[in-house]
Amino acid sequence: DLCKLLVDKGCNVSLLQFGKNKNHLIFDEVHIFTMRWRGHLISRRPTSPINKFLKNNNLKIDCIIFCSETATVPILGYQTILVQHGIGFDYRAQGKSSKLIGLFGRGKIGQMAQRFEALKAAKLVDKIVAVDYVYPTWLMTFYPEWKNKVITIPNFTYQLEIKPIKRNKFTRIIFARRLVERRGIRIFSEAIDLLMNSQDEFNFEFGIAGEGEYLNQLEEKYKEIPEVKIFKYDQKDSLTIHSKYDIAVVPSLASEGTSLSLLQAMAAQCVVITTGVGGTSNIIIDNYNGIICAPTAIALAQAIKKLASNKDDSKRMARAGFETIKYGFSYSQWSQRWIHALNINQGLKSDI
């Protein structure tokens, strides 16, 4: 989306990625370069792969945008921007995102290593575009003098103006995101068990949409339970999938960037339940445009029952959520913020 926006504004855009084979192609007016590189991306020496690429290719460049902290390197002579996708160190690392984290493991020392790497990357660029508000607040506790270095441009989503009419007696609940621990799939599964074993007179149908480490376990667990459907879907169909459900749950256990799953659910006029972690707390006001609950199965089940028992409140919050997207997280808002940011930083020059 950012490449398309820049091309539409008259910029010459090049995209550098790493792969097994060197390549260059043009797609939708964007030059895509694949550089052969199998090493670790965090190489902040002058001989880093990105510096080698710039040296060996005579490209006219006015601005370099790093799309992740792991690719950020010191580059002299260019305006540089880092797109920061939210903090991940309020949750113990599940993999080796850097050599330092790999060395110290996944516990508290590993989390400290992640913080160190985030600060190190921030020092290397002229500007930072954060996709949520938690990261800038965290960064200011270390470097309050950087308050003008960080610009917040939250994620966006498109909207479905007309929600299909559902003609069944069931309250339909969906979890549509990666099926991994930190995204809350385990507590959602436990909440399903609590609701299905409850003596309350509710009729529920559950959708679990996505892929991840819990997929096989969930398929085995619910293979004989028709009220629970497990499926995969293409991201471009997210709004259509959500529109078939009444309630969407986003029970993250740790911070993320402004949650795209949450935005898409609200854009499809689902009433949403979330846990108020970073990346969701800047979207939801409890009981106005959604429900915020504790990240436990019991709290999640109680929130689902609350919405199922009060249809008027659910419709009110779903509509408020839809309006929140329309006025705060639309493509129009997102694109204007990026245009403004680039005009401020480098006058929206021609080559990015």
Side-chain angles (χ1 to χ4, degrees):
D1 292 301
L2 182 56
C3 287
K4 184 178 185 305
L5 173 65
L6 295 174
V7 168
D8 289 344
K9 292 299 176 182
C11 297
N12 298 318
V13 180
S14 299
L15 189 152
L16 173 62
Q17 62 184 5
F18 300 95
K20 295 181 179 179
N21 299 304
K22 184 178 178 181
N23 194 18
H24 173 217
L25 58 89
I26 300 174
F27 180 77
D28 286 347
E29 300 183 59
V30 176
H31 288 260
I32 302 174
F33 295 90
T34 302
M35 182 177 180
R36 187 176 181 182
W37 185 262
R38 297 184 182 182
H40 201 280
L41 290 186
I42 297 181
S43 177
R44 295 189 171 125
R45 300 182 299 273
T47 55
S48 74
I50 296 175
N51 280 293
K52 285 184 177 179
F53 173 83
L54 294 173
K55 182 179 179 180
N56 296 334
N57 292 269
N58 189 26
L59 296 175
K60 177 187 174 183
I61 299 174
D62 298 300
C63 175
I64 295 175
I65 299 175
F66 296 106
C67 293
S68 75
E69 290 171 334
T70 57
T72 307
V73 298
I75 298 178
L76 298 178
Y78 301 95
Q79 289 286 332
T80 54
I81 297 175
L82 165 64
V83 181
Q84 209 286 334
H85 298 280
I87 66 172
F89 33 79
D90 57 347
Y91 185 81
R92 295 189 178 181
Q94 298 301 299
K96 295 182 179 180
S97 56
S98 77
K99 293 179 181 178
L100 190 59
I101 294 168
L103 177 64
F104 288 110
R106 302 176 182 179
K108 292 182 179 180
I109 296 179
Q111 288 177 289
M112 290 175 63
Q114 287 179 289
R115 297 184 184 102
F116 175 80
E117 291 287 1
L119 290 172
K120 193 174 180 181
K123 291 178 180 180
L124 299 177
V125 296
D126 299 307
K127 291 286 182 180
I128 302 168
V129 172
V131 304
D132 73 322
Y133 293 91
V134 173
Y135 172 81
T137 303
W138 171 78
L139 190 63
M140 292 306 102
T141 65
F142 291 92
Y143 298 103
E145 66 273 18
W146 285 2
K147 60 184 177 181
N148 295 322
K149 185 173 184 173
V150 184
I151 305 165
T152 299
I153 304 179
N155 295 327
F156 76 91
T157 185
Y158 299 103
Q159 291 180 283
L160 283 181
E161 289 291 345
I162 300 175
K163 189 172 179 71
I165 299 173
K166 294 181 282 294
R167 304 183 185 278
N168 59 50
K169 61 181 180 180
F170 293 93
T171 298
R172 307 192 73 197
I173 302 107
I174 187 169
F175 177 104
R177 55 204 334 238
R178 289 188 295 127
L179 308 181
V180 296
E181 176 71 16
R182 69 176 295 154
R183 295 299 178 233
I185 183 57
R186 178 182 52 79
I187 65 170
F188 179 59
S189 177
E190 292 172 358
I192 290 175
D193 299 341
L194 291 173
L195 292 168
M196 295 189 67
N197 293 325
S198 172
Q199 300 301 313
D200 298 317
E201 294 183 0
F202 292 109
N203 293 307
F204 293 117
E205 286 185 350
F206 301 94
I208 298 175
E211 299 182 71
E213 61 193 30
Y214 275 82
L215 178 59
N216 293 339
Q217 180 181 329
L218 292 167
E219 288 178 333
E220 178 65 25
K221 179 178 180 179
Y222 294 117
K223 64 181 180 181
E224 304 293 338
I225 303 176
E227 292 87 357
V228 181
K229 304 289 192 303
I230 300 174
F231 58 95
K232 303 173 186 177
Y233 69 103
D234 194 300
Q235 184 60 227
K236 65 181 176 60
D237 298 322
S238 178
L239 295 180
T240 302
I241 294 297
H242 277 95
S243 72
K244 299 175 183 178
Y245 289 83
D246 305 292
I247 300 170
V249 294
V250 184
S252 294
L253 304 183
S255 294
E256 51 187 298
T258 294
S259 174
L260 186 59
S261 297
L262 188 59
L263 297 182
Q264 290 173 336
M266 296 164 72
Q269 300 188 54
C270 293
V271 58
V272 296
I273 301 170
T274 188
T275 45
V277 299
T280 67
S281 56
N282 61 300
I283 305 171
I284 298 301
I285 300 174
D286 189 34
N287 207 47
Y288 169 68
N289 57 357
I291 296 290
I292 295 177
C293 71
T296 67
I298 293 174
L300 190 57
Q302 289 173 340
I304 291 171
K305 287 196 287 187
K306 175 182 177 180
L307 293 175
S309 62
N310 194 326
K311 299 293 186 182
D312 289 339
D313 258 7
S314 293
K315 290 178 182 178
R316 173 184 60 79
M317 283 187 267
R319 187 63 197 175
F322 185 80
E323 294 292 307
T324 299
I325 300 302
K326 183 176 182 180
Y327 295 106
F329 298 94
S330 66
Y331 174 78
S332 175
Q333 290 268 359
W334 176 86
S335 60
Q336 288 302 314
R337 288 165 178 157
W338 263 107
I339 291 168
H340 179 68
L342 290 170
N343 275 327
I344 290 173
N345 296 334
Q346 50 283 127
L348 198 61
K349 296 180 181 179
S350 59
D351 298 273
I352 297 178

